[in-house]
Amino acid sequence: MWLLLLILIILLWVISVYNVIVAKRNNVDNAWAQIEVQLKRRHDLIPNLVKVAKGYLAYERETLENVIKARTQAMQAINIKDKETAENFLTSALRSLLFVVENYPDLKANQNMLKLQEEIISTENRIAFARQYYNDEVMRFNITIQQFPFCFVARMFCISKKELFKIEDSSQKEPPKVKL
Amino acid sequence: MAYSFVEIQKRKTYFIVFLTILLIIIYFATIWILWLAAKIYFVSVFMDFQNFPKKFFFPSFKENVILFIIAIKIALIHFFISSKNMSKKIFYILKAEPMDLSYLKHQQLKNIIDEVLIATGSSQIEGRVINTAFCNAFSTADFDGKVYIGVTEGLLSKLNRSQLEAVVAHEVAHIISGDCFYTTVVCSMFGIYEGFLERISENLVPIETVSGFITKSILYCIISFISALNNLVVSLLSQQREFRADAIAVKLTRNPLALAESLYIISKTWRGKSTASEAFSPLFIVETKDASEFSTHPPIEERINILMNMAHADHSVLEKMMENMYFRTGNIRKDTTPKIGGKTKTQKGWFIFKDNKWQGPFSFSELTQLNWLTGDHLICREGALTVKKACEDFDLISLFKPLHKEVSYKYSCPHCYHGLEELKYEWASTYRCPICKGILVSRSELNKILIREERSFSEEIFQQAEMVKKEKQERFRKIQQIHTPFVLNCPKCGKKMRRRLFSYEAPVEIDVCIWCDIFWFDAEELDIMQVLYDQNLNKDILLE
Ligand SMILES: [Zn+2]
Ligand SMILES: [Zn+2]
Ligand SMILES: [Zn+2]
C-alpha cells in the first residue's frame, strides 16, 4: 500500500518535472521558428535585390551570381550545422555585393535600392536579435536539464542538449573603442 | 523579462489605488479652501463680519463628511475621464502622427521597432512621428494594453541607424518593465489639461486688445495652477526608471556607446522647451524642460557617464562625433559630382536595358515607336555615365505623360495658371508648376522639408544663398517699399497672398496666404531657403 503511494508520488513528480522541461523546450522551438522566419525573409529579399542591381551592375556578374548561389545553398540546408555555414556564406556574399554598390553612385541613389538596402540591414539585425533570443533560450534549457533533479528525468526521456546557433555577427555596429 | 506578468499587474493595481487617493486628497483640500473662502466672502458682504462667531467659518464634522464625499466623486470622475484614450489625447496635443512608410526614414523607424521587439519576444508596438524640429522620443501605454513609441522628425534626421535603435530600445525597455504605463497615467491626470490649454493659448490672437490681454492672463493663471498640480503628481515617479531603462536597452542592443551618443546629441540640441511637450516631460527620453528641483529625470551627464563606462570609451569620442555631425550637415549636402551631359548638350540617342543587356542607341523618334518601352526601363544617354529610369529623364518625360494625364490638377499656378503637379520634395507633399518651377507648400510640410536632410544642392544654389545673406539689409529695405504686396492669388482659397521675406535669418522672398497657412516659393527659392536653414547655428528658431 505504502509502496504504491510512493510510486504514485514519484510518478507525479516525474510528470511535473517533465512538463517543466517540455515547456522550456517549446520556448527554444519558438525561438528557432523566429530565426527561420527571418532567414526566409532574407531569402525572399534577394531576388528583388538582384533584379534592381542587375541593370546597373552589368560588369559585376560574378558578385551577383555568388549571391544567387549562396541563396540556393542556404535554402537547401536542413540541419543547424549546414545552415550555419550556408548562412555565413550568404552573409559574406551579400556584404561584398553591398560593398560593390558603394562604387555605383547611380545605383546607390536609386530609391528602390535604398529601400532594399534598408530592408537587408533590418533583416540582418532581425536575424541577429532572433539568434540572441534563441541562444539565450537554449542556454536556459541546457542549464535546466543538467541540474540535479532534472537530469534524471531528461535522461529517462532521452532529452538531449540543444545546439547554439552561431552566425557571423553581421550587424553594422562598430566595436566599442577601448580606452587604453 | 525583468518582472513576471502577475507581478506587473499587481503593481499596477496598487499604483492606481494610490493615485486615486492622492487625487481625492488634492480635491478635498481644494474644496475645503474654496468652501471656507465662500463663507468668508458671504459673511463679509451680507452680514456683520466683526461680530460673527468665528466658529462658524471652520466646517463642522457633518460639513467635512459632505465635502469629502464630493471630493471622492469629483476625483473618481476626473480619474475616469482622464484615463480614457490617454495616448490619443497626448498625440493630439503633441501633434504626433502615424508614420508615412513611403519615406525611407519612417520605414527605418518601423523596422527598428520590429527588430527590437524580436529581441524581447513581445507583442506589437506602433510608431508615431511628431512633425517638429526638436529632438526627443517618448513612449505611451494605454489601459487596454496598446503601446506606442514616438520620435520627433528632428531626431530622425540627426541620428544614424544604431543610435536610433538605442533610443527605441530605451523606450521598449520602459514598455516591457511597465514604467511606461505609470508615466502615461500620471501625465494624463493633469498634463493633458495643461498641454491642451497651452495649445489654445498658442493659437490665441496676440495681446493687442484689452480683452485679449485679460483672457491671456486668466489662461496663464489657470495653466500655472494646473502645471503646479502636474509637477506634484509627476514627482511621484522615480528617477531610477531611466537608469533601469538605459540598462535594459544596453542588454537588448549590446551597444552602450550608441545610446550614450544619442543622449549626448539630444542633450546638446533643442529638446522641446516652451512647447506643449513640457506638460509631458516625464514621457520623454530626456526631459523637455530645463533641469530643476522638479526634475523627473536623473541628470543627463550621469546617465551618459554610466553608459560610457559600459562602453569603455572616453568622453572625447562624443565630442568628436558631434563635430563630425555638424560637419556632415554643413557640407555633405553640397552636390559635388560633376554634371555630365547636362541639359545644354543634347545627346544623340539613348541606350535601353532590356532582356539583361543594353540595346540601342535609339533616337527620340525611334523611342516613340517602341511600344514595349515603359517608364520603368533603365536608360543611359549616349556618352553619359549615369543610368536612370526612363521616366526620370528630363527629355523623355513627355513620352510617359499619357499615363498621368487623367490626374486632374488640384491647384493652379498663381503666375502662369498652369495646373500644379504633385511633387514629393524630401517625401513631403508639395505642388510644383511644371512651367515656372514655383512650389506651393503648406507650413507643416515645409517644416518637414527644412528638418529632413535628404537632398543635396548644386554649387549655384550655395552661391545664391551667399548672395541672399549679403543682400539681407537691402532686401528688407526693398520689401518694405513695395506698395502693393498683395499680387498673387492663393491657389487654395483664391484670396490675395502677401509678399514678404520668410524670416530675418532666411530672407527669402515668399508669398504667403495667412488664411490657409500656405507658402509659394518661386523656382529654387526653396532650395536656397534650405541651405540658409542648414547654415544657421540655432536653426530651430526659424521654426514654430
Ligand atoms: Zn526614458
Ligand atoms: Zn507657373
Ligand atoms: Zn489661401
Side-chain angles (χ1 to χ4, degrees):
Chain A
M1 180 60 208
W2 284 112
L3 196 70
L4 213 66
L5 204 67
L6 194 71
I7 290 172
L8 198 72
I9 287 170
I10 290 174
L11 209 64
L12 281 176
W13 178 78
V14 167
I15 289 171
S16 71
V17 166
Y18 179 72
N19 280 341
V20 169
I21 293 176
V22 166
K24 296 224 166 169
R25 196 175 58 181
N26 283 345
N27 280 348
V28 173
D29 290 344
N30 285 339
W32 176 251
Q34 185 61 252
I35 291 187
E36 297 230 292
V37 168
Q38 301 311 332
L39 288 178
K40 183 163 183 308
R41 201 184 132 97
R42 172 153 84 168
H43 299 156
D44 292 346
L45 275 175
I46 288 169
N48 281 330
L49 177 71
V50 171
K51 209 172 107 194
V52 172
K54 206 159 57 181
Y56 296 88
L57 302 179
Y59 306 108
E60 310 276 356
R61 272 262 104 97
E62 211 180 319
T63 326
L64 282 174
E65 270 160 15
N66 266 339
V67 172
I68 298 168
K69 213 167 74 192
R71 172 179 180 260
T72 336
Q73 268 177 19
M75 284 175 80
Q76 281 162 353
I78 299 161
N79 64 40
I80 292 192
K81 274 274 164 288
D82 285 351
K83 275 202 173 157
E84 257 174 41
T85 42
E87 292 297 338
N88 279 338
F89 185 47
L90 180 57
T91 306
S92 62
L94 267 178
R95 259 198 217 164
S96 58
L97 178 62
L98 291 184
F99 184 74
V100 165
V101 168
E102 289 295 309
N103 298 331
Y104 291 77
D106 290 318
L107 178 54
K108 226 173 77 182
N110 179 302
Q111 271 313 309
N112 284 333
M113 190 61 203
L114 283 174
K115 279 215 166 107
L116 275 169
Q117 228 165 347
E118 162 61 27
E119 286 302 312
I120 287 171
I121 293 172
S122 174
T123 312
E124 303 272 309
N125 284 348
R126 281 166 208 240
I127 292 171
F129 279 135
R131 185 204 54 176
Q132 190 176 311
Y133 185 62
Y134 170 78
N135 284 347
D136 285 351
E137 289 297 325
V138 168
M139 292 275 237
R140 234 168 275 166
F141 173 75
N142 285 351
I143 288 170
T144 308
I145 63 168
Q146 276 172 327
Q147 268 166 357
F148 158 64
F150 295 89
C151 56
F152 291 116
V153 181
R155 220 167 285 158
M156 213 149 70
F157 292 95
C158 298
I159 296 172
S160 56
K161 281 208 274 178
K162 289 264 182 187
E163 279 175 74
L164 293 178
F165 189 58
K166 289 186 219 81
I167 227 176
E168 231 181 296
D169 198 354
S170 46
S171 46
Q172 311 282 311
K173 290 161 206 159
E174 272 179 55
K177 290 167 192 87
V178 180
K179 188 162 61 177
L180 293 172
Chain B
M1 246 180 101
Y3 309 97
S4 72
F5 179 73
V6 181
E7 204 179 325
I8 287 177
Q9 288 304 320
K10 224 166 153 188
R11 281 176 56 204
K12 269 186 190 173
T13 321
Y14 286 144
F15 178 76
I16 290 166
V17 169
F18 182 68
L19 191 65
T20 327
I21 291 172
L22 186 79
L23 277 181
I24 292 171
I25 293 171
I26 290 174
Y27 274 107
F28 183 63
T30 320
I31 295 173
W32 203 85
I33 292 167
L34 281 178
W35 180 239
L36 194 69
K39 267 183 175 173
I40 293 173
Y41 175 77
F42 185 78
V43 169
S44 61
V45 170
F46 297 107
M47 280 170 231
D48 182 14
F49 187 72
Q50 292 300 323
N51 300 328
F52 215 77
K54 295 279 178 293
K55 232 182 94 189
F56 171 78
F57 294 119
F58 291 96
S60 65
F61 178 74
K62 208 171 144 192
E63 276 174 346
N64 269 331
V65 170
I66 293 171
L67 289 183
F68 191 65
I69 290 171
I70 295 173
I72 290 176
K73 273 189 181 159
I74 296 178
L76 287 179
I77 292 171
H78 177 123
F79 185 84
F80 184 73
I81 293 175
S82 304
S83 61
K84 261 196 159 175
N85 295 328
M86 295 183 295
S87 302
K88 228 169 135 188
K89 290 177 196 159
I90 292 171
F91 295 157
Y92 172 74
I93 292 161
L94 293 178
K95 298 181 205 161
E97 281 156 18
M99 295 174 290
D100 166 21
L101 291 184
S102 66
Y103 178 42
L104 195 63
K105 276 278 167 63
H106 289 194
Q107 176 69 47
Q108 194 176 56
L109 176 64
K110 185 183 183 300
N111 280 347
I112 288 174
I113 292 174
D114 290 348
E115 285 161 27
V116 177
L117 278 181
I118 288 174
T120 65
S122 57
S123 59
Q124 207 76 48
I125 296 179
E126 263 192 69
R128 286 284 184 278
V129 177
I130 313 179
N131 179 10
T132 160
F134 72 75
C135 292
N136 227 323
F138 69 96
S139 54
T140 66
D142 276 339
F143 271 85
D144 59 8
K146 274 212 178 113
V147 284
Y148 303 87
I149 289 179
V151 179
T152 66
E153 199 76 62
L155 192 66
L156 279 182
S157 78
K158 288 208 171 67
L159 298 191
N160 65 27
R161 206 176 192 287
S162 47
Q163 288 162 350
L164 189 59
E165 190 171 78
V167 170
V168 168
H170 173 98
E171 296 306 336
V172 169
H174 277 310
I175 289 170
I176 56 177
S177 67
D179 287 339
C180 175
F181 175 77
Y182 306 132
T183 323
T184 314
V185 174
V186 167
C187 282
S188 296
M189 287 305 124
F190 294 103
I192 285 178
Y193 306 103
E194 187 191 338
F196 191 70
L197 291 174
E198 202 89 62
R199 260 196 77 176
I200 290 178
S201 72
E202 262 172 37
N203 297 334
L204 266 187
V205 263
I207 328 163
E208 272 158 17
T209 58
V210 180
S211 63
F213 180 75
I214 292 171
T215 18
K216 205 127 200 198
S217 357
I218 291 175
L219 209 57
Y220 180 77
C221 288
I222 298 174
I223 289 176
S224 342
F225 178 65
I226 296 179
S227 169
L229 288 179
N230 192 22
N231 281 339
L232 179 74
V233 287
V234 154
S235 61
L236 291 179
L237 296 166
S238 132
Q239 295 192 351
Q240 291 301 313
R241 75 187 192 288
E242 292 305 327
F243 291 124
R244 241 178 358 235
D246 285 346
I248 298 177
V250 170
K251 217 164 126 194
L252 289 174
T253 63
R254 324 237 153 135
N255 195 350
L257 187 62
L259 186 57
E261 282 173 354
S262 28
L263 287 180
Y264 190 74
I265 291 173
I266 297 172
S267 72
K268 293 285 174 210
T269 47
W270 179 32
R271 287 155 301 169
K273 198 174 178 296
S274 67
T275 63
S277 66
E278 279 197 352
F280 305 117
S281 190
L283 285 174
F284 286 88
I285 183 166
V286 178
E287 60 185 330
T288 52
K289 301 174 188 179
D290 286 333
S292 67
E293 60 269 34
F294 291 117
S295 280
T296 51
H297 290 60
I300 186 90
E301 293 79 23
E302 207 176 315
R303 287 169 72 186
I304 292 176
N305 281 342
I306 291 174
L307 289 167
M308 290 309 276
N309 269 337
M310 281 189 203
H312 297 293
D314 207 287
H315 231 275
S316 60
V317 176
L318 294 178
E319 280 146 31
K320 217 171 196 172
M321 174 218 45
M322 200 73 178
E323 261 168 42
N324 280 339
M325 209 178 78
Y326 278 125
F327 179 76
R328 185 180 64 93
T329 33
N331 288 279
I332 279 235
R333 293 187 84 183
K334 206 177 274 188
D335 189 4
T336 48
T337 47
K339 289 244 162 52
I340 300 161
K343 286 170 205 164
T344 43
K345 278 186 247 157
T346 45
Q347 255 71 38
K348 280 278 146 25
W350 286 266
F351 289 97
I352 301 167
F353 192 76
K354 187 180 176 258
D355 302 330
N356 289 333
K357 60 172 185 273
W358 286 103
Q359 306 191 347
F362 300 97
S363 70
F364 187 79
S365 56
E366 278 171 326
L367 283 178
T368 54
Q369 303 299 316
L370 298 174
N371 47 14
W372 47 262
L373 181 69
T374 66
D376 253 353
H377 276 96
L378 291 173
I379 55 124
C380 178
R381 280 178 177 239
E382 208 176 346
L385 293 173
T386 50
V387 176
K388 52 185 144 188
K389 276 188 180 177
C391 61
E392 288 164 0
D393 191 289
F394 192 76
D395 294 323
L396 298 185
I397 296 172
S398 55
L399 283 179
F400 310 107
K401 259 287 152 55
L403 294 173
H404 305 289
K405 213 164 197 175
E406 298 93 71
V407 183
S408 59
Y409 296 118
K410 216 164 151 192
Y411 307 120
S412 55
C413 175
H415 280 297
C416 8
Y417 302 106
H418 189 281
L420 296 179
E421 287 169 347
E422 201 171 346
L423 172 80
K424 288 281 175 196
Y425 189 109
E426 301 194 300
W427 284 271
S429 50
T430 63
Y431 298 88
R432 187 176 66 158
C433 172
I435 297 169
C436 67
K437 309 282 183 231
I439 289 178
L440 182 75
V441 57
S442 71
R443 183 186 288 275
S444 64
E445 297 300 294
L446 178 64
N447 237 353
K448 290 181 193 167
I449 290 172
L450 291 179
I451 299 163
R452 292 174 183 175
E453 291 169 2
E454 301 290 335
R455 242 177 108 108
S456 50
F457 306 108
S458 65
E459 193 59 51
E460 292 102 75
I461 297 290
F462 275 83
Q463 281 165 10
Q464 286 186 37
E466 282 305 313
M467 294 269 285
V468 169
K469 262 203 299 200
K470 256 185 227 149
E471 296 169 356
K472 195 186 254 179
Q473 305 295 335
E474 210 172 304
R475 277 176 170 246
F476 271 97
R477 220 182 25 249
K478 240 186 191 162
I479 204 87
Q480 276 163 8
Q481 285 166 357
I482 300 180
H483 291 297
T484 49
F486 301 96
V487 185
L488 300 180
N489 290 320
C490 170
K492 201 170 172 187
C493 67
K495 296 195 177 92
K496 290 282 183 204
M497 296 174 99
R498 190 189 178 91
R499 174 150 284 246
R500 64 175 181 85
L501 298 182
F502 187 81
S503 71
Y504 185 73
E505 300 298 332
V508 173
E509 245 175 55
I510 50 153
D511 293 282
V512 56
C513 172
I514 52 166
W515 306 101
C516 320
D517 220 2
I518 212 166
F519 299 91
W520 175 264
F521 286 87
D522 285 338
E524 294 188 334
E525 300 261 85
L526 186 54
D527 291 353
I528 295 171
M529 168 97 188
Q530 283 218 72
V531 172
L532 287 172
Y533 175 79
D534 279 350
Q535 287 173 352
N536 221 297
L537 273 178
N538 33 7
K539 48 186 175 179
D540 304 323
I541 292 167
L542 289 183
L543 299 171
E544 304 289 316

mmCIF file of all heavy atoms in Angstrom, chain B residues 213-229:
data_model
loop_
_atom_site.group_PDB
_atom_site.id
_atom_site.type_symbol
_atom_site.label_atom_id
_atom_site.label_comp_id
_atom_site.label_asym_id
_atom_site.label_seq_id
_atom_site.Cartn_x
_atom_site.Cartn_y
_atom_site.Cartn_z
ATOM 1 N N PHE B 213 -5.799 90.618 -23.674
ATOM 2 C CA PHE B 213 -4.826 90.608 -22.584
ATOM 3 C C PHE B 213 -5.405 89.896 -21.367
ATOM 4 O O PHE B 213 -4.735 89.073 -20.729
ATOM 5 C CB PHE B 213 -4.447 92.049 -22.231
ATOM 6 C CG PHE B 213 -3.445 92.131 -21.115
ATOM 7 C CD1 PHE B 213 -2.106 91.824 -21.354
ATOM 8 C CD2 PHE B 213 -3.832 92.506 -19.841
ATOM 9 C CE1 PHE B 213 -1.184 91.891 -20.336
ATOM 10 C CE2 PHE B 213 -2.912 92.573 -18.817
ATOM 11 C CZ PHE B 213 -1.585 92.270 -19.060
ATOM 12 N N ILE B 214 -6.689 90.214 -21.064
ATOM 13 C CA ILE B 214 -7.311 89.616 -19.878
ATOM 14 C C ILE B 214 -7.458 88.106 -20.053
ATOM 15 O O ILE B 214 -7.071 87.329 -19.171
ATOM 16 C CB ILE B 214 -8.682 90.272 -19.592
ATOM 17 C CG1 ILE B 214 -8.461 91.721 -19.155
ATOM 18 C CG2 ILE B 214 -9.445 89.503 -18.527
ATOM 19 C CD1 ILE B 214 -9.715 92.532 -19.044
ATOM 20 N N THR B 215 -7.974 87.680 -21.230
ATOM 21 C CA THR B 215 -8.121 86.223 -21.445
ATOM 22 C C THR B 215 -6.778 85.531 -21.312
ATOM 23 O O THR B 215 -6.675 84.464 -20.719
ATOM 24 C CB THR B 215 -8.682 85.900 -22.853
ATOM 25 O OG1 THR B 215 -8.518 87.027 -23.678
ATOM 26 C CG2 THR B 215 -10.103 85.445 -22.806
ATOM 27 N N LYS B 216 -5.764 86.153 -21.878
ATOM 28 C CA LYS B 216 -4.452 85.536 -21.864
ATOM 29 C C LYS B 216 -3.938 85.420 -20.425
ATOM 30 O O LYS B 216 -3.368 84.394 -20.049
ATOM 31 C CB LYS B 216 -3.480 86.349 -22.721
ATOM 32 C CG LYS B 216 -2.349 85.502 -23.241
ATOM 33 C CD LYS B 216 -2.157 85.590 -24.733
ATOM 34 C CE LYS B 216 -1.374 84.384 -25.228
ATOM 35 N NZ LYS B 216 -0.786 84.558 -26.520
ATOM 36 N N SER B 217 -4.142 86.464 -19.615
ATOM 37 C CA SER B 217 -3.619 86.392 -18.242
ATOM 38 C C SER B 217 -4.397 85.379 -17.413
ATOM 39 O O SER B 217 -3.811 84.657 -16.611
ATOM 40 C CB SER B 217 -3.638 87.754 -17.539
ATOM 41 O OG SER B 217 -4.088 88.739 -18.368
ATOM 42 N N ILE B 218 -5.743 85.340 -17.620
ATOM 43 C CA ILE B 218 -6.532 84.342 -16.882
ATOM 44 C C ILE B 218 -6.074 82.939 -17.268
ATOM 45 O O ILE B 218 -5.814 82.093 -16.408
ATOM 46 C CB ILE B 218 -8.042 84.511 -17.187
ATOM 47 C CG1 ILE B 218 -8.548 85.814 -16.570
ATOM 48 C CG2 ILE B 218 -8.830 83.325 -16.643
ATOM 49 C CD1 ILE B 218 -9.985 86.125 -16.919
ATOM 50 N N LEU B 219 -5.912 82.737 -18.575
ATOM 51 C CA LEU B 219 -5.459 81.437 -19.057
ATOM 52 C C LEU B 219 -4.104 81.089 -18.454
ATOM 53 O O LEU B 219 -3.855 79.956 -18.035
ATOM 54 C CB LEU B 219 -5.361 81.481 -20.588
ATOM 55 C CG LEU B 219 -5.584 80.170 -21.321
ATOM 56 C CD1 LEU B 219 -6.930 79.589 -20.971
ATOM 57 C CD2 LEU B 219 -5.463 80.370 -22.815
ATOM 58 N N TYR B 220 -3.235 82.094 -18.387
ATOM 59 C CA TYR B 220 -1.900 81.873 -17.841
ATOM 60 C C TYR B 220 -1.981 81.413 -16.391
ATOM 61 O O TYR B 220 -1.278 80.491 -15.975
ATOM 62 C CB TYR B 220 -1.076 83.153 -17.964
ATOM 63 C CG TYR B 220 0.314 83.004 -17.415
ATOM 64 C CD1 TYR B 220 1.292 82.322 -18.151
ATOM 65 C CD2 TYR B 220 0.658 83.522 -16.170
ATOM 66 C CE1 TYR B 220 2.561 82.154 -17.645
ATOM 67 C CE2 TYR B 220 1.927 83.350 -15.662
ATOM 68 C CZ TYR B 220 2.877 82.670 -16.400
ATOM 69 O OH TYR B 220 4.128 82.499 -15.893
ATOM 70 N N CYS B 221 -2.877 82.067 -15.600
ATOM 71 C CA CYS B 221 -3.040 81.689 -14.199
ATOM 72 C C CYS B 221 -3.513 80.246 -14.078
ATOM 73 O O CYS B 221 -2.976 79.469 -13.273
ATOM 74 C CB CYS B 221 -4.046 82.607 -13.508
ATOM 75 S SG CYS B 221 -3.400 84.238 -13.226
ATOM 76 N N ILE B 222 -4.525 79.890 -14.895
ATOM 77 C CA ILE B 222 -5.051 78.525 -14.836
ATOM 78 C C ILE B 222 -3.961 77.526 -15.205
ATOM 79 O O ILE B 222 -3.763 76.512 -14.536
ATOM 80 C CB ILE B 222 -6.263 78.366 -15.785
ATOM 81 C CG1 ILE B 222 -7.394 79.308 -15.348
ATOM 82 C CG2 ILE B 222 -6.759 76.934 -15.783
ATOM 83 C CD1 ILE B 222 -8.559 79.326 -16.304
ATOM 84 N N ILE B 223 -3.217 77.858 -16.265
ATOM 85 C CA ILE B 223 -2.155 76.942 -16.707
ATOM 86 C C ILE B 223 -1.129 76.755 -15.592
ATOM 87 O O ILE B 223 -0.721 75.630 -15.295
ATOM 88 C CB ILE B 223 -1.465 77.468 -17.988
ATOM 89 C CG1 ILE B 223 -2.396 77.343 -19.188
ATOM 90 C CG2 ILE B 223 -0.191 76.677 -18.267
ATOM 91 C CD1 ILE B 223 -1.836 77.908 -20.464
ATOM 92 N N SER B 224 -0.740 77.858 -14.920
ATOM 93 C CA SER B 224 0.283 77.707 -13.880
ATOM 94 C C SER B 224 -0.237 76.858 -12.729
ATOM 95 O O SER B 224 0.506 76.079 -12.143
ATOM 96 C CB SER B 224 0.757 79.050 -13.332
ATOM 97 O OG SER B 224 0.431 80.069 -14.175
ATOM 98 N N PHE B 225 -1.548 77.027 -12.412
ATOM 99 C CA PHE B 225 -2.120 76.235 -11.319
ATOM 100 C C PHE B 225 -2.100 74.747 -11.683
ATOM 101 O O PHE B 225 -1.622 73.899 -10.907
ATOM 102 C CB PHE B 225 -3.556 76.706 -11.052
ATOM 103 C CG PHE B 225 -4.240 75.913 -9.966
ATOM 104 C CD1 PHE B 225 -3.776 75.970 -8.652
ATOM 105 C CD2 PHE B 225 -5.331 75.109 -10.259
ATOM 106 C CE1 PHE B 225 -4.390 75.236 -7.653
ATOM 107 C CE2 PHE B 225 -5.951 74.366 -9.263
ATOM 108 C CZ PHE B 225 -5.486 74.437 -7.956
ATOM 109 N N ILE B 226 -2.582 74.433 -12.892
ATOM 110 C CA ILE B 226 -2.603 73.025 -13.313
ATOM 111 C C ILE B 226 -1.182 72.488 -13.425
ATOM 112 O O ILE B 226 -0.894 71.354 -13.052
ATOM 113 C CB ILE B 226 -3.342 72.873 -14.655
ATOM 114 C CG1 ILE B 226 -4.810 73.264 -14.479
ATOM 115 C CG2 ILE B 226 -3.258 71.459 -15.170
ATOM 116 C CD1 ILE B 226 -5.617 73.165 -15.734
ATOM 117 N N SER B 227 -0.288 73.345 -13.914
ATOM 118 C CA SER B 227 1.107 72.928 -14.057
ATOM 119 C C SER B 227 1.709 72.572 -12.700
ATOM 120 O O SER B 227 2.475 71.607 -12.576
ATOM 121 C CB SER B 227 1.892 74.046 -14.721
ATOM 122 O OG SER B 227 3.248 73.789 -14.656
ATOM 123 N N ALA B 228 1.334 73.362 -11.652
ATOM 124 C CA ALA B 228 1.831 73.067 -10.302
ATOM 125 C C ALA B 228 1.326 71.703 -9.838
ATOM 126 O O ALA B 228 2.090 70.892 -9.295
ATOM 127 C CB ALA B 228 1.386 74.152 -9.331
ATOM 128 N N LEU B 229 0.018 71.444 -10.076
ATOM 129 C CA LEU B 229 -0.537 70.140 -9.715
ATOM 130 C C LEU B 229 0.160 69.021 -10.485
ATOM 131 O O LEU B 229 0.481 67.966 -9.940
ATOM 132 C CB LEU B 229 -2.038 70.098 -10.020
ATOM 133 C CG LEU B 229 -2.929 70.924 -9.095
ATOM 134 C CD1 LEU B 229 -4.370 70.808 -9.534
ATOM 135 C CD2 LEU B 229 -2.782 70.443 -7.658
#
